[in-house]
Amino acid sequence: LTPIVRASQSSTERSYVMIKPDGVQRGLVGEIISRFERKGFTIKGLKLFSCPAALAEEHYKDLSSKPFYPKLVKYITSGPVVCLALEGPGVVASARKLIGVTNPLQAEPGTIRGDLGIETGRNVIHGSDSPENGEREIALWFKEGELCEWEPTLTPWLRE
Ligand code: UDP
Ligand code: MG
């Protein structure tokens, strides 16, 4: 798949972050988005979305041979998700740190999964694992015209 929505020239990196259906159902959307905003990343895309099975399957295609894959696709399509395109220097690794490791019981307190989850199968949130996958996933989940090209006026207060 060719990315149809490109990163702005000024920026270095983008991550696809998604609040999974349990996070939406539990009313954690504001709390989670707030953590990324306060960290200083720029929201370039944001939507509530009911994900078709084919998209969940494509997103997680690398895991298609895993025994938990059918349940994973069912989980992701069990209710609306919140899709985020975040931009900023080092956003991919930093978002993964803010999110915490896959199993919420092993995730450090202070991380999203560490603070807000109990089970791997209900771990509240997704974050891209590489800048390449960040681009791949943003192109997968957002259509052309759904991302906003903008620079926050706060940038000089966040970056030298
Ligand atoms: N997952 C699961 N059981 C497992 C491993 C993973 O249900 O044993 C789910 C979980 O929702 C996880 C997603 O599959 O977030 C993707 O797995 P991955 O190993 O890529 O973890 P992540 O990158 O999300 O931390
Ligand atoms: Mg992963």
Side-chain angles (χ1 to χ4, degrees), residues 3 12-17 59 62 84 86 88-97 99 126-139:
T12 43
E13 202 172 293
R14 299 192 303 179
S15 179
Y16 176 66
V17 167
H59 175 80
D62 291 352
L84 285 152
L86 297 179
V91 65
V92 168
S94 179
R96 296 273 291 188
K97 274 195 175 171
I99 288 169
H126 164 83
S128 305
D129 62 9
S130 68
E132 295 69 35
N133 276 335
E135 293 307 311
R136 177 182 87 86
E137 292 167 2
I138 286 170

Side-chain angles (χ1 to χ4, degrees), residues 70-83:
K71 266 171 47 178
L72 174 59
V73 171
K74 221 174 153 195
Y75 164 44
I76 297 302
T77 56
S78 63
V81 295
V82 169
C83 309

Side-chain angles (χ1 to χ4, degrees), residues 14-142:
R14 299 192 303 179
S15 179
Y16 176 66
V17 167
M18 175 168 71
I19 305 173
K20 295 176 177 176
D22 50 332
V24 176
Q25 291 285 354
R26 292 174 56 201
L28 299 173
V29 170
E31 146 111 40
I32 290 171
I33 292 175
S34 178
R35 293 186 180 208
F36 294 104
E37 281 190 303
R38 281 151 59 204
K39 176 71 177 164
F41 294 122
T42 307
I43 299 172
K44 292 282 172 109
L46 172 59
K47 66 176 178 184
L48 185 71
F49 184 59
S50 291
C51 162
L55 180 53
E57 286 163 7
E58 173 69 18
H59 175 80
Y60 282 123
K61 68 179 178 192
D62 291 352
L63 301 173
S64 59
S65 63
K66 304 280 184 191
F68 59 81
Y69 180 73
K71 266 171 47 178
L72 174 59
V73 171
K74 221 174 153 195
Y75 164 44
I76 297 302
T77 56
S78 63
V81 295
V82 169
C83 309
L84 285 152
L86 297 179
E87 191 171 288
V91 65
V92 168
S94 179
R96 296 273 291 188
K97 274 195 175 171
L98 291 171
I99 288 169
V101 297
T102 309
N103 181 344
L105 284 185
Q106 276 153 26
E108 292 294 323
T111 65
I112 293 166
R113 286 169 174 166
D115 287 350
L116 304 175
I118 298 172
E119 285 192 8
T120 300
R122 295 287 183 272
N123 64 1
V124 180
I125 185 164
H126 164 83
S128 305
D129 62 9
S130 68
E132 295 69 35
N133 276 335
E135 293 307 311
R136 177 182 87 86
E137 292 167 2
I138 286 170
L140 206 54
W141 288 87
F142 287 98

